[in-house]
Amino acid sequence: MTRKFKIIASFIFGCFISFLFLEFFLKGTEIKLPFKTFDKEIGKTYLPNSPINEIKEGLYINQTNQYGFIGNVSLKKKPNTIRIAVFGDSFVEAFQLDPKFNFCSILERNLNKAVDNKTIEVINFGLSNSVLPDVYIRKKLLAEKFDIDYCIYFFDSYDLILDSQSTLDPVKIINSNNKLQIVKNQSKAYELYYKAQTLIDNTSLINMIMEAYILHARGESRKIILDKFYQPETTAFDYSYYDYYFKNLTDLQIKMLKELLNDKSLFILNEKAEPALENTLKKYNFKFYETYPVLENLRQKGVNPYFWENSNMEGHFNYHAHEAIGNYLTFVFNKKRLNQ
C-alpha cells in the first residue's frame, strides 16, 4: 500500500512540476500571455493592464489599458474633442499589425487633418468573435461611459444573425415588456467559471488548452497540425441554409439594430451584404455601407486584401486593406456629417 501511495504521489508531484515548468516557459518566452476574460459587469472582454503578444498573420505586441481595451483614453473627453467609437469583431480589433496602421488610427489621422479647432479621437472597441449581441452589450455597458459622439459598427452579414450568448457569458440580453434589458446570467456554468476565474484568467497553460479545445470544436485543429499536408474537404458548405435567418431577423435582433443605428452612427458591412439580408435591411430602412468597392479596387490592382506576404497566410485585413478602408470610412463619415 505504501509503495502504491509513493507511486501515485510521485506521479502527482511530477505533473505539478511539469505544469509549473510549462507555465513559466509560456509566460517567460511570451509564447502565450493570457488577456481574455468574462467580466461580471460588462461581459466578454479583455483583462485590464495586460500585455498582449499575438502571432497570427502578423506580429502584434501591445498592452490593454485600465478599462480592458487598447488605447490611451480617459473617461471624460477634453473640450473641443469629438469621439468616435468603432465596434466589431477581430477585423476591427486588428491584432495582426501595429495599431497605428489599423483603419481606426488611419480614420483618426485623416479626420484630424481635415478638421480645424477640433480634436478627433477614434476609440477601438473591437473584440474578437463579437457578433451583434456582444457589440450591443459592449456599447451599452462599456463604451457609453466614455462621452462618445459617434459610433461606427463594422459587421459581416453573419455577425447579425449568429448568437454568441452562452451559459458562460456573465450577462445576456432579454426582451422584456417590449424593451431590451441586459441582465445577469445565473447559469451554473458561469458560476463555476467565476469560482476559478483568477486561475483561468492568469494561467497561460489553461488558456492555451481552452483555445486548443475551441479550435478543435470548430474543426480547425487538423489544418493547423497537418499544415501543408492538410487536405481540405471537397464538399462545399451550403450557405443558403442561412437565408432563412437573413430573411427573418428575430425581434431581438431588430430591436438591437434599431437602438444602435441612428443619426449618430454608421453601419458598415464587410464586403457585400448577403442578398437575402440586404432585402431585410432595406425593409426596415437600415442604411448601410459596404467595403466591397474599395476591396475590389485592391483586387483589380492585383492586391489580395486578406493575404499576408511575410507569413504566407490569408486571413484578416492586411496593411493595404486597412489603409483603403480607413480612407473609405473618412469619406463616408465626412459625407454623413455634412448631411446632418
Side-chain angles (χ1 to χ4, degrees), residues 34-38 47 193 196-203 207:
F35 60 92
K36 300 177 182 178
T37 188
F38 289 94
L47 292 167
Y193 164 81
Q197 185 172 14
T198 302
L199 179 64
I200 295 172
D201 288 354
N202 296 285
T203 307
N207 269 256

Side-chain angles (χ1 to χ4, degrees), residues 320-331:
H320 302 290
H322 275 280
E323 182 178 9
I325 292 174
N327 293 334
Y328 175 65
L329 291 181
T330 305
F331 167 77

Side-chain angles (χ1 to χ4, degrees), residues 82 110-120 334 337:
I82 297 174
N110 288 348
L111 291 176
N112 276 302
K113 290 177 182 178
V115 176
D116 295 326
N117 303 319
K118 292 282 186 181
T119 299
I120 310 296
N334 281 329
R337 288 187 66 214

Side-chain angles (χ1 to χ4, degrees), residues 294-319:
V294 293
L295 296 178
E296 183 61 17
N297 184 50
L298 288 177
R299 286 187 280 258
Q300 292 295 328
K301 295 178 180 178
V303 177
N304 181 345
Y306 304 100
F307 182 73
W308 295 73
E309 293 182 1
N310 290 340
S311 59
N312 196 33
M313 293 175 65
E314 189 164 336
H316 294 85
F317 295 143
N318 57 24
Y319 287 87

Side-chain angles (χ1 to χ4, degrees), residues 77-89:
K77 64 183 180 182
K78 295 179 180 179
N80 297 319
T81 299
I82 297 174
R83 276 187 172 172
I84 305 168
V86 186
F87 301 89
D89 59 11

